Amino acid sequence: MTQKQRLKYSILIALSVLAIMLGLSWLQNAGMISQKMFQYIAIGVAVVVVVINGVMRRKVKP
């Protein structure tokens, strides 16, 4: 994986996380999920993103 590919994937991941958080916020405001569920899902998404970022960092060739 090159730096350019990593940048593309990082932007894609950032946009995906933004969409997920906006969706969760909408679901919470609509009363479909509770505050606690929102927190658990948000923490889960953050952990997944950190793991993906770590894997991508190791795959970058100098």
Side-chain angles (χ1 to χ4, degrees):
M1 176 178 287
T2 64
Q3 287 287 0
K4 189 174 182 182
Q5 287 174 321
R6 183 172 178 238
L7 179 64
K8 286 180 186 177
Y9 284 121
S10 294
I11 291 171
L12 181 66
I13 291 169
L15 292 174
S16 300
V17 169
L18 180 64
I20 290 169
M21 290 302 165
L22 288 174
L24 286 174
S25 180
W26 180 82
L27 285 173
Q28 185 185 5
N29 288 336
M32 296 181 184
I33 60 173
S34 66
Q35 177 73 24
K36 275 283 185 211
M37 183 60 69
F38 177 90
Q39 289 174 348
Y40 290 141
I41 295 171
I43 291 169
V45 169
V47 168
V48 169
V49 168
V50 167
V51 169
I52 290 172
N53 193 34
V55 170
M56 283 195 323
R57 180 175 294 157
R58 287 177 182 237
K59 300 240 182 233
V60 171
K61 295 184 176 112

